[in-house]
Amino acid sequence: MPTAIGRDELISRAGRADSPHTLFSTLATQLRRVVPYDAAVWRATDPETGMVTSPVFAENIEDHSCAVYWQYELFTEKVNLFRDLALAPVPVASLWAATGGEPERSSLYRGFLAPRGVHDELRAVLRVDGRPHGYVSLFREKGRAEFSTGERAFLEDLGTPIARLLRAYAKRRPEPSEDALTGTGLLLFDADGALVSANDEARRYLEEMPEGPASLTALGIRVPLWVHGTAMRARAIAEERGGDTARIRMRTRTGRWLVCHASCLRGADGRVGVSAVVIERAPVSDVTPLIVQAYELSEREFEVTQRVARGLSTSGISEELHLSPHTVRDHIKAIFGKLGVSSRGELVGQLFTEYYDPAPPSPSVTGRRGQGVSFGSGRLR
């Protein structure tokens, strides 16, 4: 049973991280002392679709391998699928245990892991309130023991606290900027998943993406895993291989919210053809639910907040929601406390304005862009 570092201490250290990327790197450093592994991938996910979004933190894995790994997940794998684990009573599983010691039953193992010298994989979905906020994959090389029951349980215990930390990062406001991203970016991927075309707006959006695994394309453009994964998901949907949407919300290096969605086109013969990926600024209606979840507002508190934003009075909210005025005031007081505001105007501004379109900095203020973290030796190729 893991004893090198306590669960609470690990979570406490992770909780001091100032970004999801730093959170993942902190977890990697600390968890490796308790649950030894040779390589790993830590992914944030969109809690609505369960799809990988930014950021992604890879250890000892080459960038292009992350996209190949995800192709198996979407198109051929049947063991320990993340979408299944997200709904399972226990959202943690190891390949060795799930196959009864016969990992060859997994297409991912046969085609990707075994050729790279991997003996076992431990997967976990980081979820809170039934929503997935992250996926973790830990790998052990051949010659090491498979992941134990105790190690699986330790990772399971971390799931909800870490998911809560990931969810809370949505509260971070974007950096003010006079050069806001605008327009609609369009990328086209061929039937083999290769990028064949991109407009200028797409190139600009991709330049603003945070550090993380990416594919270097023939066009000289680096396409992050979460964007490429959206294109692959669209193809999987078109081929009826699972999933009901290919859509994620993601953040740029400066914290701007974007939405990325994809669909797969068909030719005159009905065959699946080009996948079209669109990137654009996320509307307020897409961002607000994430902020509400981050502040842990209840469903009723969100309903009250929406009506406050519409300018309804306490009596108007009371009539519309069939609540007493006293109950409405109690809800508003609780909402103010969670968001740290003292007026309805502050509440509306914080939830519906500041996260979407922050004011540009004054001429005397200069910003500092965080540097990406490079990690790993590229052991898994």
Side-chain angles (χ1 to χ4, degrees):
M1 184 70 184
T3 58
I5 184 173
R7 167 188 174 278
D8 292 342
E9 182 182 354
L10 192 154
I11 294 170
S12 175
R13 293 182 184 182
R16 294 193 287 271
D18 60 2
S19 71
H21 195 281
T22 305
L23 170 69
F24 286 153
S25 65
T26 301
L27 284 169
T29 300
Q30 301 301 326
L31 183 62
R32 203 180 303 110
R33 302 174 184 176
V34 187
V35 182
Y37 59 85
D38 299 299
V41 184
W42 303 77
R43 315 166 188 86
T45 56
D46 187 305
E48 180 181 333
T49 63
M51 291 179 58
V52 174
T53 186
S54 60
V56 175
F57 180 75
E59 305 176 80
N60 299 337
I61 296 180
E62 290 190 344
D63 281 4
H64 74 275
S65 293
C66 291
V68 176
Y69 174 98
W70 210 247
Q71 287 178 339
Y72 281 94
E73 173 75 14
L74 290 174
F75 295 102
T76 64
E77 186 56 84
K78 298 183 183 301
V79 180
N80 291 345
L81 291 174
F82 281 111
R83 67 169 181 263
D84 294 337
L85 287 177
L87 301 174
V90 178
V92 178
S94 68
L95 178 61
W96 191 268
T99 60
E102 298 178 359
E104 297 82 5
R105 291 163 48 190
S106 160
S107 67
L108 175 67
Y109 180 82
R110 296 191 306 270
F112 183 86
L113 299 179
R116 290 165 173 79
V118 174
H119 173 64
D120 196 13
E121 177 192 13
L122 179 59
R123 290 185 169 193
V125 174
L126 309 174
R127 69 185 183 191
V128 59
D129 294 337
R131 299 185 180 94
H133 288 266
Y135 295 153
V136 182
S137 299
L138 308 180
F139 306 99
R140 276 186 181 162
E141 295 178 338
K142 293 178 181 177
R144 281 180 173 262
E146 59 271 11
F147 290 99
S148 68
T149 301
E151 290 169 330
R152 296 196 300 270
F154 189 86
L155 190 56
E156 179 187 354
D157 286 343
L158 293 177
T160 296
I162 299 305
R164 184 168 278 111
L165 291 175
L166 285 170
R167 180 174 68 179
Y169 285 117
K171 292 187 289 187
R172 296 184 61 204
R173 293 171 178 80
E175 296 177 16
S177 172
E178 294 179 345
D179 188 25
L181 297 171
T182 58
T184 298
L186 177 64
L187 303 103
L188 300 179
F189 295 82
D190 66 19
D192 295 321
L195 180 67
V196 295
S197 184
N199 68 0
D200 290 342
E201 287 82 359
R203 292 170 182 265
R204 187 177 177 212
Y205 280 123
L206 293 179
E207 289 174 355
E208 293 297 315
M209 292 294 103
E211 294 294 325
S215 301
L216 181 58
T217 67
L219 301 181
I221 301 173
R222 286 178 58 84
V223 179
L225 173 63
W226 48 92
V227 174
H228 199 178
T230 307
M232 288 190 285
R233 177 66 169 266
R235 181 166 301 281
I237 294 171
E239 295 179 1
E240 299 182 350
R241 295 179 181 271
D244 57 1
T245 185
R247 188 174 187 277
I248 59 171
R249 292 158 292 187
M250 57 189 182
R251 302 191 83 170
T252 66
R253 288 197 303 263
T254 58
R256 294 276 180 173
W257 286 100
L258 305 176
V259 61
C260 174
H261 52 94
S263 60
C264 202
L265 310 181
R266 294 183 182 275
D269 58 0
R271 294 182 181 180
V272 174
V274 172
S275 293
V277 177
V278 173
I279 304 175
E280 53 196 350
R281 291 183 66 184
V284 175
S285 58
D286 273 340
V287 177
T288 300
L290 295 173
I291 310 304
V292 167
Q293 293 170 24
Y295 281 106
E296 301 188 2
L297 297 186
S298 67
E299 183 176 347
R300 179 62 84 184
E301 288 169 345
F302 184 38
E303 290 174 343
V304 171
T305 300
Q306 289 176 306
R307 284 152 181 83
V308 169
R310 285 166 46 198
L312 294 185
S313 65
T314 297
S315 60
I317 298 173
S318 172
E319 292 176 7
E320 194 163 301
L321 294 180
H322 306 291
L323 300 172
S324 70
H326 177 74
T327 299
V328 171
R329 283 191 288 269
D330 282 346
H331 280 310
I332 292 176
K333 181 179 179 181
I335 294 166
F336 281 6
K338 289 182 178 181
L339 272 75
V341 299
S342 57
S343 71
R344 295 188 178 207
E346 284 185 88
L347 170 63
V348 174
Q350 188 153 312
L351 279 183
F352 299 95
T353 304
E354 294 180 18
Y355 289 96
Y356 182 68
D357 193 19
S362 64
S364 62
V365 177
T366 58
R368 181 176 62 185
R369 177 171 292 172
Q371 299 297 311
V373 179
S374 176
F375 197 109
S377 61
R379 182 177 292 114
L380 297 189
R381 299 176 181 272

